[in-house]
Amino acid sequence: MLYDKKRTESVEKETGAVDRRPFPPASRVENMPANLTAQYLKAEEEYRRATTLEEELACLQTMMKEIPKHKGTDHLQAELKSKISKTKKELATEKSSGKRTRGLRIPRQGAGTAILLGGPNAGKSQLTAALTRATPEVAPYPFTTTVPAPAMMPWEDVAVQLIDTPPITADYLDSHIHGLIRGADLTLLLVDLEADDGIELCQEALDRLAKTKTRLGRESCLDENDVGLSYTRTFLVPNKIDAPGADERLELLHELLPLDLPEYVISAKEGTGIEPLRNAIYRAMDVVRVYSKLPAAKEPDRDRPFTLRRGSTLVEMAGMVHKDFVAGLKFARVWGSAVHPGTQVKGDYVLQDQDVVELHQ
Ligand SMILES: Nc1nc2c(ncn2[C@@H]2O[C@H](COP(=O)(O)OP(=O)(O)OP(=O)(O)O)[C@@H](O)[C@H]2O)c(=O)[nH]1
Ligand SMILES: [Mg+2]
């Protein structure tokens, strides 16, 4: 079924029962469906992460173009058609009213995005404060945070965007959370080890998400058997390890809620485990840093590295510097770990972390 970005409430009604298996079996992740092409799935992945109606429409149109046209996809084709016409209408309304019809949009910034989730009082805002220079309100009562708020987490010479969020409870799930989770590179699921009901509140938050098509998993992926179902890579972050009884509650957490996720035990308040978590968050963004250098300059611009997904090529970096560079790119010289200093490379060169690149056109 086609993923509907506004689906949250209706899907929850449709799905009904709580699926207590939050993670897809590996085979579902690896095996591509026989009838949907890689291009289709790529467009759908982009649709999942689109932040404007224009982007959504462009992705839907690509999906329509790429979908194999046979009986088996009739239903999906019809869904796509109706989604395209709805999106066009929404876009027209947005244009004529000058107001965005969709909810909160947090523009992506930095090397990637990690979103903090959890039950009330888990310490999401305290952790945001520990990892960034932001000063969100931290207080010992639930629902201190009422709207998702971005902040930048420095890591060496780059930064990762963190999003602090209101709590997820059995009765409450902020309507913007789905889009934000699906658009994030990583989720941090916080558990309160101080309160006796901390584990239960975490389970409630997971159950609430399990009623929707936005789930947490070991890896980010779309479920091929249910095209709308999306998993976002997640770290489990048991917090308040400084609190009395926290060790026992951590053991209990492992017993009662055995989640197959990488775990980072912390005290956001006292700083325990914060730096390993910071490093892991950055590493999960899976990016390389590249410094550009002008041919006439002796030194590269070390202040503002470009960050690109690991495996990106020179031509992708050229596009980030300036779109004219893509067509006009002749070659580049690279100083870095994989090549001799000043080696001349072509557009397909795979960038390495901390490469210095001199583009020539
Ligand atoms: N002992 C201890 N207390 C903590 C720690 N982290 C947070 N707290 C306390 O837990 C309470 C809740 O912290 P917040 O950061 O506001 O929790 P939150 O998850 O943002 O809560 P909501 O915004 O309501 O969802 C505050 O009183 C914090 O001081 C910690 O590592 N150790
Ligand atoms: Mg908060």
Side-chain angles (χ1 to χ4, degrees):
M1 203 208 319
L2 175 67
Y3 161 50
D4 181 342
K5 278 178 161 262
K6 287 206 300 194
R7 108 231 68 92
T8 56
E9 292 310 318
S10 62
V11 165
E12 280 168 34
K13 272 181 214 133
E14 268 168 44
T15 326
V18 174
D19 179 356
R20 284 190 185 263
R21 296 160 304 142
F23 312 121
S27 61
R28 276 209 247 159
V29 182
E30 283 153 17
N31 297 340
M32 298 263 274
N35 60 343
L36 294 176
T37 62
Q39 287 93 323
Y40 176 90
L41 292 175
K42 184 165 177 273
E44 201 202 45
E45 174 64 24
E46 280 165 16
Y47 173 62
R48 183 174 87 89
R49 299 173 63 120
T51 56
T52 65
L53 284 172
E54 285 87 347
E55 282 170 16
E56 278 178 28
L57 183 60
C59 295
L60 287 167
Q61 283 166 335
T62 311
M63 285 156 76
M64 194 60 188
K65 203 174 101 213
E66 294 294 337
I67 193 165
K69 310 281 187 304
H70 55 69
K71 265 246 152 298
T73 62
D74 273 358
H75 181 64
L76 198 50
Q77 286 185 54
E79 273 194 64
L80 272 173
K81 241 189 221 159
S82 97
K83 198 83 203 44
I84 286 173
S85 82
K86 257 201 225 157
T87 311
K88 278 185 178 163
K89 270 189 209 141
E90 267 191 74
L91 201 56
T93 317
E94 202 176 90
K95 285 209 169 117
S96 63
S97 69
K99 266 194 244 138
R100 288 227 178 263
T101 54
R102 289 290 176 85
L104 182 84
R105 294 184 194 280
I106 297 182
R108 289 168 71 80
Q109 251 192 309
T113 302
I115 181 163
L116 285 72
L117 299 179
N121 280 336
K124 301 175 292 297
S125 301
Q126 184 91 55
L127 179 58
T128 304
L131 288 170
T132 72
R133 293 188 196 98
T135 53
E137 193 181 345
V138 171
Y141 47 82
F143 290 91
T144 308
T145 307
T146 53
V147 273
M152 297 309 286
M153 176 192 90
W155 189 87
E156 293 193 353
D157 53 358
V158 287
V160 173
Q161 182 179 51
L162 300 187
I163 303 178
D164 184 15
T165 61
I168 300 175
T169 70
D171 311 316
Y172 184 79
L173 179 60
D174 183 286
S175 60
H176 308 302
I177 292 263
H178 298 275
L180 295 173
I181 296 176
R182 296 169 91 98
D185 301 287
L186 179 72
T187 294
L188 304 177
L189 176 63
L190 274 83
V191 189
D192 183 348
L193 294 179
E194 184 181 38
D196 281 332
D197 61 354
I199 299 168
E200 203 181 316
L201 292 174
C202 176
Q203 176 73 65
E204 270 181 27
L206 280 175
D207 285 353
R208 188 70 172 89
L209 281 175
K211 286 186 194 164
T212 76
K213 294 205 169 196
T214 303
R215 315 257 177 99
L216 313 182
R218 270 191 81 80
E219 297 299 333
S220 295
C221 63
L222 287 164
D223 189 323
E224 65 158 61
N225 294 327
D226 187 346
V227 179
L229 186 51
S230 143
Y231 293 86
T232 301
R233 182 177 181 186
T234 300
F235 290 168
L236 183 67
V237 185
N239 182 30
K240 312 195 191 180
I241 194 65
D242 61 284
D247 289 334
E248 290 76 29
R249 286 191 201 98
L250 182 59
E251 266 177 43
L252 214 56
L253 171 70
H254 295 154
E255 254 171 57
L256 299 178
L257 199 58
L259 297 171
D260 182 22
L261 295 174
E263 181 181 271
Y264 294 86
V265 179
I266 59 158
S267 164
K269 203 170 184 176
E270 300 201 337
T272 318
I274 292 297
E275 291 315 305
L277 177 60
R278 183 194 302 274
N279 291 333
I281 294 170
Y282 174 74
R283 261 183 263 116
M285 299 302 121
D286 206 25
V287 292
V288 293
R289 291 165 290 175
V290 178
Y291 306 88
S292 75
K293 173 183 168 311
L294 293 171
K298 270 213 171 103
E299 288 299 321
D301 180 358
R302 292 259 173 215
D303 291 340
R304 278 187 303 134
F306 290 90
T307 50
L308 297 101
R309 285 248 167 269
R310 194 177 299 283
S312 298
T313 56
L314 177 68
V315 79
E316 288 169 66
M317 180 221 169
M320 285 172 92
V321 177
H322 199 283
K323 66 178 182 342
D324 292 350
F325 261 118
V326 177
L329 183 71
K330 285 206 186 100
F331 67 92
R333 286 190 194 286
V334 175
W335 289 257
S337 57
V339 292
H340 292 297
T343 300
Q344 198 166 314
V345 298
K346 293 265 182 239
D348 62 356
Y349 168 77
V350 176
L351 296 158
Q352 306 293 315
D353 189 38
Q354 297 202 290
D355 271 353
V356 169
V357 173
E358 187 184 276
L359 297 168
H360 289 261
Q361 55 167 350

